[in-house]
């Protein structure tokens, strides 16, 4: 089952393992931890490179309702579009569909004593958050994403806005 099939309302998610079947890219953006630390704020490094999570309701983009594009804060890859963002009540920015079928990779995450599906940037491998099969009817998916892993480009501006200032 490919990602396009997973995202279709005609093919609902029937099992969490269905979410872990996205293709894994051949290569990731090669950078050392030292290089990532130079590029990212401490919070961005913790989330993107160490698979951390920002506290619920604390992220800069949680209540963002401006039209635009959400990019990976690590490498700038386009991840989500504002028209697929919605208020899930989870405390983190939530989306029901990635910008492209190849923007993200997913895999099973058994950390913290639970089984979830982790979402990473297909370009750099940065941890973004998790995806759950309890989203809106368009796809049935809820991509629960850390603000610290995102930058935002307002549709009316050519500049991206970082999510942390440290």
């Amino acid at each position: 089952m490919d990602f396009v099939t997973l995202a279709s309302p005609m093919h609902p998610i029937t099992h969490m393992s269905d979410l872990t079947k996205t293709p894994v890219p051949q290569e990731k953006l090669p950078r050392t931890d030292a290089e990532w630390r130079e590029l990212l704020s401490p919070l961005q490094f913790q989330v993107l490179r160490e698979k951390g999570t920002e506290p619920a309701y604390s992220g800069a983009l949680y209540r963002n309702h401006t039209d635009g594009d959400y990019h990976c804060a690590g490498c700038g890859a386009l991840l989500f579009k504002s028209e697929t963002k919605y208020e899930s009540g989870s405390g983190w920015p939530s989306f029901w569909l990635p910008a492209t079928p190849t923007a993200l990779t997913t895999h099973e995450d058994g950390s913290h004593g639970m089984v979830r599906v982790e979402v990473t940037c297909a370009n750099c491998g940065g941890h973004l958050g998790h995806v759950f099969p309890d989203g809106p009817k368009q796809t049935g998916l809820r991509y629960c994403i850390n603000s610290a892993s995102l930058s935002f480009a307002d549709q009316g501006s050519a500049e991206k806005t970082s999510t942390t200032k440290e």
Side-chain angles (χ1 to χ4, degrees):
M1 182 180 288
D2 64 16
F3 184 79
V4 176
T5 303
L6 289 176
S8 168
M10 300 303 292
H11 297 91
I13 300 302
T14 57
H15 192 272
M16 284 299 284
S17 65
D18 290 344
L19 294 173
T20 63
K21 297 179 180 175
T22 57
V24 177
Q26 297 299 319
E27 293 182 34
K28 297 265 193 249
L29 189 62
R31 287 205 172 114
T32 66
D33 277 355
E35 290 171 320
W36 283 117
R37 286 184 191 280
E38 294 244 345
L39 293 170
L40 303 171
S41 73
L43 177 59
Q44 288 172 321
F45 184 85
Q46 179 192 22
V47 170
L48 285 162
R49 307 318 310 168
E50 297 178 329
K51 301 182 184 222
T53 301
E54 65 197 7
Y57 305 101
S58 69
L61 297 171
Y62 171 61
R63 296 221 182 261
N64 182 40
H65 299 291
T66 306
D67 290 338
D69 297 330
Y70 293 84
H71 297 262
C72 176
C75 68
L78 176 62
L79 302 174
F80 298 98
K81 299 211 167 253
S82 60
E83 56 264 20
T84 65
K85 186 175 187 285
Y86 72 101
E87 294 293 332
S88 69
S90 67
W92 291 274
S94 296
F95 304 86
W96 52 267
L97 186 70
T100 69
T102 59
L104 311 173
T105 56
T106 57
H107 58 275
E108 190 173 293
D109 172 9
S111 65
H112 305 291
M114 58 186 126
V115 178
R116 299 175 291 175
V117 178
E118 180 184 10
V119 177
T120 58
C121 173
N123 189 51
C124 72
H127 171 77
L128 304 172
H130 293 86
V131 60
F132 303 95
D134 61 0
K137 66 181 179 178
Q138 292 93 328
T139 62
L141 301 176
R142 172 174 54 97
Y143 289 88
C144 189
I145 307 298
N146 289 283
S147 284
S149 67
L150 300 171
S151 63
F152 180 75
D154 187 313
Q155 203 168 37
S157 169
E159 289 186 36
K160 289 181 192 165
T161 312
S162 179
T163 55
T164 58
K165 301 211 186 319
E166 295 187 37

